[in-house]
Amino acid sequence: GGGQPYNLTGACWDASVVTEGQWMSLSYAMFRQGFANASSCVECFCWSLQADSPAVWGGTWDWVGVSAALRGPSGEALCDSQAGTYRTFVLLQSAAVAIILLLNVAVQVITMLLAFFERHHTLAEQEKSIALSVFAGQFVNTALVSLLVYARFDEVNTAIEAALGGDSAWFPLFAGSFGDFSDGWYAVVGVQIVVAVLLNVGLPLWPIMVSWTYFKVVLPRREATAATQSDLNIMYAGSDFLLSQRYGTLLNTLFTCMMYSAGMPILLLIGAFILVISYWSDKYHLLKFAATPPQFSDRLAFWTLDMVKVRPEP
């Protein structure tokens, strides 16, 4: 049926567990969505109610300490099943974003360890290599993995199935749910990318929190154990300021925001916000907690400018 809830067709009405009085009450809660078929009447109703009137939707399913106000004829919570599906969806999205963030941190650590085995002749070359590796790893992890996992390319998927003898279950790429940038894509993949980029603002703040904890909490208890002045100097020296990792992370933020900004303009504001926070947090960390860094050349800075194509020609 279509139109207001009290104008539902007989088939949808009969298939629903909602009483007539409940339908009338919900119609005053600005519920406006019709239904496509009777078999999914309640499920469609719950999703529409969630989008249209979240306050009323919150009273249609049982959760910790709160009982649903609206129930079907058999006493079951009206939207309990749909709410469970939604909670699972939010949990999986949160887990995916958390994994992306953890992998971004792991990329920083792994690239730093691998750079020492490359045996660069100068520190500038080593820092450039680390910055490039961090950028490449984090960009693939943040901007491309979600895009490829959820993408559906029918021709490519058909060719893969044919090459694998009809069984492509172990190769899930290009068999996702979205063949284009639809509303559903923005609700699932778009939200995941935006949240992952936004959480990158915590990366420059993490060294500050660790350093503050060390100097304010740990160091006062450790300084009494220093046997010599040299040991005490080492304790107060501070941590290294990892310039290469910061360049790589900021390049990842910049490229990811620019890549998706046409469809999600909010990423431009998020990117600008992250750059401002990174500038001030890095400045505070460098001046307050970090050890005196070595003398770097301008090679890493100009290489970064070349990456974003804004370096002026000499």
Side-chain angles (χ1 to χ4, degrees), residues 12 45 76 81 98 107 124 142 195 201 204 219 235 280 307:
C12 191
F45 157 72
E76 71 276 11
S81 176
V107 166
T142 305
V195 174
V201 74
L219 188 57
M235 290 182 183
W280 287 107
M307 289 289 292

Side-chain angles (χ1 to χ4, degrees), residues 9-54:
T9 62
C12 191
W13 187 283
D14 295 337
S16 175
V17 298
V18 189
T19 64
E20 180 178 357
Q22 290 169 343
W23 278 119
M24 295 297 294
S25 298
L26 291 170
S27 69
Y28 291 104
M30 298 178 65
F31 177 75
R32 300 185 297 269
Q33 180 66 43
F35 299 98
N37 55 75
S39 62
S40 61
C41 188
V42 175
E43 188 81 7
C44 184
F45 157 72
C46 291
W47 285 110
S48 301
L49 183 62
Q50 178 187 356
D52 200 61
S53 185

Side-chain angles (χ1 to χ4, degrees), residues 187-203:
V188 178
V189 187
V191 169
Q192 194 174 108
I193 293 173
V194 169
V195 174
V197 171
L198 188 58
L199 288 179
N200 280 334
V201 74
L203 294 180

